[in-house]
Amino acid sequence: TLAADHPDIASLINNLAVLYERMGEYGRALPLVEEALAIRRATLAADHPDIASLINNLAVLYERMGEDGRAQSLYE
């Protein structure tokens, strides 16, 4: 059994979020990306590439949801 903050758990949660995003179910995807990002932030250094990748995923999701301002701030 893996701990709730194990990196593999964050990856699985993110994969599910990506699936929901591709299905157009942004409301279901958003909390999952945020959860995966929180796990990564709690377990990795702030400049780790996995954190940057999840921030990008969150920005893409906001962009698809029409929240361009939120997306832009994350892209920056």
Side-chain angles (χ1 to χ4, degrees):
T1 303
L2 299 175
D5 64 349
H6 191 279
D8 289 349
I9 298 296
S11 294
L12 291 170
I13 291 169
N14 183 63
N15 290 346
L16 182 58
V18 169
L19 176 64
Y20 284 139
E21 181 268 325
R22 288 182 181 163
M23 294 170 57
E25 295 187 29
Y26 307 130
R28 293 178 82 177
L30 182 61
L32 294 173
V33 174
E34 291 172 336
E35 182 180 357
L37 181 57
I39 291 169
R40 291 295 194 183
R41 282 185 167 154
T43 58
L44 299 173
D47 62 349
H48 194 282
D50 287 354
I51 292 177
S53 178
L54 284 169
I55 289 171
N56 183 72
N57 289 356
L58 188 57
V60 167
L61 184 56
Y62 279 135
E63 187 176 3
R64 294 224 165 96
M65 294 171 67
E67 296 187 33
D68 295 338
R70 293 180 98 173
Q72 181 180 355
S73 67
L74 291 172
Y75 283 135
E76 293 173 351

